[in-house]
Amino acid sequence: MPAIFPRWTNHIPVVAGLLAPLVGAGLIFAVWYWFSPKFTDVGYRPKQPVPYSHRLHVSDVGLDCRYCHNTVERAAHAAVPPAATCMNCHSQVKSTSPRLEKVRESYNTGAPIQWVRVHQLPDYVYFDHRPHVAAGVGCASCHGRVDLEDVVELKEPLSMSWCLDCHRNPEPNLRPLDQVTNMAWDPAEHDYDPNKDPMRKRKVQPPTHCSGCHR
Amino acid sequence: MPARTSLVRVAVGLSAVAFGTVGCRGIPSEKPPIHLQQNMDFQQRFDPQEPNPMFEDGRAMRLPPEGTVPVGWLMEDDHLWRGRGPDGRLVDALPPGIKLDRKLLDRGQERFNIYCAPCHDHLGTGRGMATRRGGGFAVQPKNLHEPRLAAMPLGYFYKVITDGQGTMLSYAAQIPVEDRWAIAAWVRTLQASQRASASDVPEEARNRPVPKALAATRAPEGGAS
């Protein structure tokens, strides 16, 4: 009686034993690497309806972040400015540029410009800009060097573990309170100790419990 | 052993294919983030500035209905909100609720540098960076030190920030009312600084070196001496 299984089937246990851990490791790697917001979110750089360049307006003209995003110190939401803010200057500068057609149209008709949101948190996160700005977390810490970008790009994963990294140990990301909007201020270049800053009235103690961010 | 090398080859090949087709972290992309599990990421409510197709203009944020006043926005105090006294003339004093002190001037300087300096520059001479780029302004911003403006009452500067003037648009939406008064006070300070003589400086402060931050704000032409 011939053998039921051919000879090569003898190798199956060995090959499977070698492959299974590799496949398993590959799957774990794939989930860790590609399912992370560092892959799914970082680098998001949508095309905007108006080709607004932060590099031109911040690095060259020298506008402060708060000239346009003026609610950042007073409200949870750092507002995208209305066309009226653009027209403060663009009623004078480049007032006939075709690239600004949508801005003029929005200013004249009141129809909003449909900017595409880049930094979007899930609706169950109640992020508030106010305490972060007041604590001396720089704009660049979460948004990256927007002042060098022609097109705004998501630079940080905005994931919960990323938030908690800083909430558990905020000091490396704190800066003098008057340098918050200074995009070029690099924490690595300064020996800044927030606990010795006389401008600070109290120690920064970010919440790490659930209801700090979730309601 | 050939079996093992081929296994390594297969593994390297597979990961190359995976990275090649799926991509690496941080690659710029115009495509929106992929979230397989969207559980409650988007809830039945609207965040500020989000679109809402229910309304004709598509905005989730609504304007107050015509003829209504939101709580706290009655603005009946003419001095605070319009910079005018009981006689309807522009006042030359801060509103009673705002105290002139170092804190107010610091605030005014900070806010002036954010909102005014782009056009009027840090000294107020009307040669800000925005006027030097992109072909310049059709109408040059005012030099705040010209005699006509130096003689204006404080309320005038508050009014111009609030309502706009000539080619300058209103900044009422961008700057809260207290900050507008702080900026007006800082404009006065700048004006005084440009007409000051050495005798205005207290004796003990005359030989103090100029602080680095202040030196940086000086006009490149060296207007201040």
Side-chain angles (χ1 to χ4, degrees):
Chain A
M1 181 181 158
I4 296 170
F5 296 106
R7 270 190 89 84
W8 63 264
T9 52
N10 287 346
H11 297 297
I12 286 177
V14 180
V15 172
L18 276 170
L19 270 181
L22 272 176
V23 170
L27 279 177
I28 290 171
F29 173 83
V31 170
W32 170 78
Y33 189 86
W34 284 299
F35 283 39
S36 160
K38 288 175 188 165
F39 172 73
T40 58
D41 294 43
V42 172
Y44 179 40
R45 204 170 79 162
K47 195 173 180 326
Q48 300 288 355
V50 180
Y52 175 85
S53 165
H54 279 84
R55 195 216 312 257
L56 172 68
H57 288 83
V58 180
S59 291
D60 193 20
V61 179
L63 293 184
D64 189 280
C65 309
R66 293 164 288 185
Y67 184 90
C68 303
H69 306 291
N70 56 64
T71 65
V72 69
E73 294 166 304
R74 293 180 278 132
H77 178 71
V80 174
T85 303
C86 310
M87 293 303 278
N88 283 339
C89 295
H90 284 295
S91 59
Q92 298 286 317
V93 180
K94 300 263 178 209
S95 53
T96 54
S97 165
R99 284 156 67 114
L100 292 166
E101 184 55 45
K102 283 202 176 119
V103 173
R104 288 192 296 272
E105 187 192 316
S106 170
Y107 181 70
N108 292 329
T109 64
I113 300 172
Q114 310 257 334
W115 299 104
V116 183
R117 189 165 184 180
V118 178
H119 299 83
Q120 173 119 33
L121 292 171
D123 276 357
Y124 47 78
V125 180
Y126 291 82
F127 178 82
D128 192 329
H129 275 93
R130 278 170 295 187
H132 293 89
V133 172
V137 181
C139 306
S141 296
C142 303
H143 294 283
R145 290 296 299 274
V146 181
D147 61 320
L148 303 179
E149 290 173 5
D150 286 317
V151 181
V152 177
E153 182 180 320
L154 189 68
K155 289 289 189 192
E156 299 289 343
L158 307 188
S159 63
M160 179 162 147
S161 75
W162 173 81
C163 292
L164 278 172
D165 283 346
C166 184
H167 272 230
R168 289 187 177 127
N169 180 27
E171 270 155 41
N173 288 313
L174 299 179
R175 53 180 73 201
L177 299 176
D178 55 357
Q179 300 295 332
V180 169
T181 57
N182 180 354
M183 303 302 278
W185 200 94
D186 185 355
E189 285 171 15
H190 295 81
D191 192 16
Y192 174 68
D193 184 354
N195 296 318
K196 291 187 185 133
D197 185 346
M199 295 292 287
R200 289 177 179 272
K201 306 231 165 26
R202 60 193 171 91
K203 193 173 155 48
V204 173
Q205 287 174 310
T208 50
H209 52 80
C210 309
S211 58
C213 310
H214 309 291
R215 290 175 194 161
Chain B
M1 207 164 100
R4 192 158 293 168
T5 40
S6 66
L7 211 61
V8 170
R9 263 188 212 150
V10 169
V12 170
L14 275 178
S15 41
V17 168
F19 277 99
T21 50
V22 189
C24 300
R25 281 180 178 176
I27 292 178
S29 164
E30 288 189 5
K31 280 184 242 144
I34 319 136
H35 284 191
L36 296 177
Q37 170 61 283
Q38 292 213 349
N39 206 358
M40 296 174 80
D41 274 12
F42 300 96
Q43 299 174 8
Q44 293 293 317
R45 62 174 172 80
F46 293 97
D47 285 344
Q49 298 194 311
E50 277 187 352
N52 181 350
M54 195 180 93
F55 294 106
E56 208 171 81
D57 63 0
R59 296 169 210 245
M61 293 163 83
R62 310 308 304 157
L63 289 166
E66 230 170 282
T68 62
V69 177
V71 172
W73 287 90
L74 188 54
M75 305 198 283
E76 80 268 62
D77 185 343
D78 265 340
H79 190 157
L80 176 66
W81 290 96
R82 281 169 285 278
R84 291 182 186 278
D87 54 357
R89 292 168 64 89
L90 290 166
V91 290
D92 198 19
L94 286 168
I98 297 175
K99 213 167 92 244
L100 177 64
D101 54 12
R102 182 63 194 251
K103 220 176 123 201
L104 183 84
L105 292 181
D106 282 348
R107 178 82 181 169
Q109 178 180 23
E110 187 196 43
R111 298 292 125 171
F112 182 92
N113 290 346
I114 295 172
Y115 296 108
C116 314
C119 298
H120 289 283
D121 82 39
H122 288 70
L123 268 180
T125 58
R127 290 174 299 193
M129 281 306 286
T131 70
R132 303 176 188 211
R133 288 288 181 276
F137 275 30
V139 179
Q140 193 67 17
K142 280 277 175 284
N143 176 358
L144 303 176
H145 307 296
E146 65 183 45
R148 183 182 74 85
L149 292 178
M152 284 293 182
L154 190 67
Y156 174 79
F157 300 102
Y158 171 81
K159 180 191 163 296
V160 171
I161 300 168
T162 306
D163 302 334
Q165 172 84 29
T167 54
M168 175 178 156
L169 302 181
S170 161
Y171 275 74
Q174 267 165 286
I175 316 176
V177 62
E178 292 85 2
D179 286 346
R180 279 177 253 154
W181 281 106
I183 291 172
W186 181 249
V187 169
R188 256 295 116 83
T189 312
L190 284 177
Q191 290 173 336
S193 77
Q194 299 306 296
R195 282 175 289 145
S197 64
S199 59
D200 293 330
V201 182
E203 192 90 40
E204 70 276 11
R206 269 180 217 173
N207 292 323
R208 220 183 280 159
V210 177
K212 224 166 133 192
L214 197 65
T217 63
R218 290 205 168 168
E221 288 77 12
S225 58

